[in-house]
Amino acid sequence: MPLTLHTALPADIPALTDIGRAAFAPTGPHTYWPRDNSLPAVNGPGPNATPASAVAAAASAGAIGDGGDGGDKATERPTDINALFRTQDPSKPEVAAEIRASYIQRYEKAFSNGDVRIMKVVETPDRGEGGDGEEQEEEAIALAHWVFHLAGSEEGREYVEKERKGEHVEEEETKYSAVWRAELKRDFSGGMNRARREIMKDRPYIYLRGLAAKPAHHRKGAASMLLKWGIERSDGAGLPIYLESSKKGKPVYEKFGFEILRVLEIDLEKYGGNGVHRQWIMFRKPRQKDVN
């Protein structure tokens, strides 16, 4: 089925939300981890047991940009940061609604920023593919969230000004609903924000804030289409691209010429999990087009 690239619009927020939720679903046996660390074995006894359907869905999920290599055995603590982000069972309708609302809010904020362009890849079924004489509907399967800091970022300019004065930049404290592990969310985003300010400062650049694809549509070329769109604009404008990547996304970005600048680490044991989560800070310099 053919794939096509489009500029996303505010009307696409529900579809973008579906992509984000699928792409960043936990990949291990746990779909969440309660604050009191009381989650029993998968399908084991107790009110917090993870439903088999949720486990199967989580085990098959994964995405460029997702958080980990999966998880340990169901009786052990999670190694996937996406499971630790969630403190309540996402199979419950009220929790799922809270998670969905947070994605919707994120994209609403993005569309209110004039420096943002969100691109989407749509899969269009060939005519007559639906079976029983019905045609399948087209589906948005991947997205890229680009931010064009053509005059440098506001946070970067603030960092440079405070650095000149010998002052410290305070992180803005984001409020999270009870379904999220706020302290982990803040440490995760705060570390990336600090690195981005320190590295890019007030220089103009293009920021790939997020790249996500539905797991069922991996390896179809959607990520490449989205990256090529941004790279063409990077090369045309003479601006570098900056991004943060998970382990799964890193090889894809390296294929397109991105280099590693720094590796950020979060000790998951501080939040009830096992192991260390890593995010790779990556950078691609613009390249001049060969006119010959």
Side-chain angles (χ1 to χ4, degrees):
M1 293 186 284
L3 303 181
T4 53
L5 186 66
H6 305 267
T7 299
L9 302 172
D12 294 309
I13 287 177
L16 301 179
T17 295
D18 289 341
I19 294 170
R21 289 183 64 200
F24 296 99
T27 57
H30 300 297
T31 58
Y32 71 106
W33 194 251
R35 294 188 181 279
D36 61 3
N37 300 324
S38 63
L39 194 67
V42 171
N43 296 325
N48 291 325
T50 306
S53 59
V55 174
S60 64
I64 292 173
D66 72 3
D69 307 318
D72 292 337
K73 295 177 182 179
T75 54
E76 298 177 353
R77 296 175 185 271
T79 60
D80 182 357
I81 197 170
N82 285 312
L84 286 169
F85 279 146
R86 296 158 172 81
T87 63
Q88 298 179 27
D89 187 351
S91 69
K92 294 181 178 180
E94 65 274 17
V95 176
E98 281 280 355
I99 293 173
R100 184 174 183 81
S102 68
Y103 276 94
I104 290 173
Q105 185 178 32
R106 178 188 306 176
Y107 292 121
E108 287 176 341
K109 182 178 180 180
F111 280 114
S112 70
N113 184 344
D115 296 331
V116 167
R117 287 285 296 276
I118 298 180
M119 302 301 295
K120 65 176 182 177
V121 171
V122 173
E123 184 177 67
T124 304
D126 295 326
R127 292 186 178 276
E129 272 193 6
D132 297 328
E134 296 183 3
E135 293 188 2
Q136 294 180 343
E137 295 182 357
E138 65 179 22
E139 178 185 6
I141 64 170
L143 68 87
H145 181 168
W146 299 94
V147 187
F148 289 79
H149 293 303
L150 303 183
S153 68
E154 183 177 344
E155 65 177 3
R157 291 192 294 271
E158 179 189 12
Y159 174 80
V160 169
E161 179 64 19
K162 292 205 170 188
E163 186 181 45
R164 184 181 65 81
K165 296 178 179 178
E167 298 175 357
H168 177 69
V169 176
E170 296 292 336
E171 290 292 333
E172 181 180 346
E173 186 166 307
T174 304
K175 295 185 182 299
Y176 296 98
S177 71
V179 303
W180 300 108
R181 183 168 271 101
E183 62 274 22
L184 176 55
K185 282 272 192 179
R186 292 192 184 105
D187 282 358
F188 179 75
S189 60
M192 292 191 294
N193 292 342
R194 284 190 295 274
R196 193 166 58 252
R197 289 194 299 261
E198 292 169 3
I199 293 170
M200 299 310 299
K201 298 189 175 181
D202 58 353
R203 290 179 289 179
Y205 69 102
I206 300 172
Y207 176 35
L208 178 53
R209 193 178 189 280
L211 178 63
K214 291 183 176 180
H217 297 278
H218 283 183
R219 303 187 183 279
K220 291 184 176 182
S224 294
M225 293 173 67
L226 292 163
L227 281 172
K228 287 176 182 177
W229 183 92
I231 287 170
E232 287 176 2
R233 280 143 188 82
S234 165
D235 292 345
L239 293 176
I241 300 176
Y242 179 101
L243 60 84
E244 301 102 3
S245 174
S246 69
K247 181 178 179 179
K248 288 184 178 179
K250 186 168 71 74
V252 178
Y253 297 125
E254 288 175 328
K255 175 183 173 183
F256 281 88
F258 286 84
E259 299 178 353
I260 298 169
L261 297 182
R262 189 179 298 184
V263 181
L264 304 181
E265 295 187 344
I266 295 180
D267 181 2
L268 299 182
E269 291 187 10
K270 290 172 56 179
Y271 309 98
N274 272 337
V276 175
H277 173 83
R278 294 179 176 85
Q279 287 284 116
W280 281 263
I281 306 298
M282 305 187 76
F283 185 87
R284 182 187 181 277
K285 296 179 181 178
R287 299 175 184 174
Q288 293 184 340
K289 295 182 178 179
D290 186 357
V291 296
N292 296 326

